[in-house]
Amino acid sequence: MKKISPKVEYIPPFCIENSAPATGVVIFGASGDLTKRKILPAIYQLQKQGLLNENFYILGCARTDIGDDSFRKIVSQAIDGNKKQAKDFCNHCFYISGQYDRPEFYQDIAKRILQLDSQYNIKCAHVFYLSVPPILFGTISDNLDNAGLAHCGSSPEETYPRIVIEKPFGRDIESAAKLDDALHRHFREKQIYRIDHYLGKETVQNILMFRFANAIFEPIWNRNYIDNVQITIAESLGIEHRAGYYDSAGALRDMFQNHIIQILSLVAMEPPAIFEANQIRDEKVKLIESIRPILPESIEKDFVRAQYSAGTIDDQNVPAYIDEEDVPNDSQTETFLAGKLMIDNWRWKDVPFYLRTGKRLAKRVSTVVITFKKVPHSMFASSGIDSPQPNVLTIRIQPQEGISLSFQAKRPGSKTCMGTIQMDFDYSTLFGVTPPEAYSRLLLDVMTGDQTLFARSDELAQAWKLVDPLLDTFRKGTCPLYHYHAGSQSFAQADQIFTDKSIGWCPL
Ligand code: BG6
């Protein structure tokens, strides 16, 4: 296939970015991996971009008994920045240790917050980031309330303090509802920020701009023109050192119920009237509600669950899932899940959405691939071209972020010589930068109070409701667990999902 890079007229962009107001960020689980890998570098990035208020502080809270100085060493290793700027950032970082279930810990935190607020001239603007296992969400929010930290004034419009939580948001509908109740005991929905980091990825946000800021795509974005949609999140990584969490989650809870369904809802939702958090989330909920319920009897036909066996990735031998550190050797957890969903509404009736996610596949690739219908009649049939290839629009979420559109064109030379050409927009070539880290976007939005990129409670409830029959069938063991070699592009059972055998998975 020929690739062309169109000449792009670069018209000065129209950008709006609000910088954060004076804020105190309190991180529970401050000595943990997520804090080091994602949260601290993301906040530092905001400072480098001038988006952080100079009145800000980070108060790390965890069980490990260290003080401000040792915490600052951890911060400095995590951010790895230029000396002066990094030192200045570290000076805004503080630490307090204690036991999460002890009220005294929260009294100490409250005292420290009071003192830091007066030092940095901050009023109410607190963000509590719960980077801890979900089992602690209820305990921490109860204790924050008891220590007088869960409220700031009594106005129902008040959005402070804000609480940020990471997935898993429950294991099924019931546990998700319990978790929600525990948070809602002390916080209103507008104070709760549930992170799905895929929503913070630049190219995922671009789905809305692409669809709703261009007049040419929306008219054909429906069953009349689209044949099928494929959403893939493939990883070459395994489970790293997270067997404890992953083995009880599997691909369904880890990726499908959240990231895949979120992307699907952005690709398929109706346009809201304005770009505003609740209007967008209302449309996403409506879309998830219109996905055809999964019937237990059709699961074996429409879904494939599988687990990786030993194989080779990038010339390295990698072990089978069951031989990974801390995974039980009889584990029945899926590391790959693919399925077909239908959406019962006017726009999408009869258009299959093929979804897949898996670990230890050949490559790390996340894409949305939209295949349009073939031309209704080929006037080139007499020249032997019965059925020109359909147009395909590929949204590359990662890596090589961008969008490409394939179409048929005449090739030079003979009178009828047709070939597929790909028009390509490559994010880093055009903008000369790699897309910013999702966590920086999301943390800035928490500080500025924009919930657009965060999952609302009813969205999650609908997503759990949708996947509940899968959870139930997997639990009962009535859906076969297949195996694929680590490093596979695909495998026979994954391909059988297509009823129309002329369609197949897009290559990774
Ligand atoms: C996380 C999952 O939500 O997303 C991980 O828990 C997965 O298992 C990760 O590896 C993938 O994220 P990314 O941004 O690397 O595609």
Side-chain angles (χ1 to χ4, degrees), residues 38 167 197-198 201 233 235 237-238 242 245-246 254-255 258-259 359 364 366 398:
K38 298 285 183 190
K167 72 172 221 310
H197 78 285
Y198 263 72
K201 288 185 193 275
I233 305 184
E235 296 181 88
L237 280 182
R242 300 193 304 152
Y245 151 73
Y246 193 87
D254 188 46
M255 304 292 280
N258 33 71
H259 306 325
K359 291 208 178 276
R364 174 177 186 249
S366 301
Q398 63 189 25

Side-chain angles (χ1 to χ4, degrees), residues 85 105 281 368 449:
Q85 207 164 22
F105 185 29
R281 298 189 298 176
V368 176

Side-chain angles (χ1 to χ4, degrees), residues 412-433:
S414 5
K415 194 166 173 191
T416 39
C417 179
M418 191 184 287
T420 302
I421 300 217
Q422 196 150 291
M423 197 156 60
D424 198 42
F425 146 55
D426 183 82
Y427 188 102
S428 60
T429 314
L430 184 61
F431 300 126
V433 287

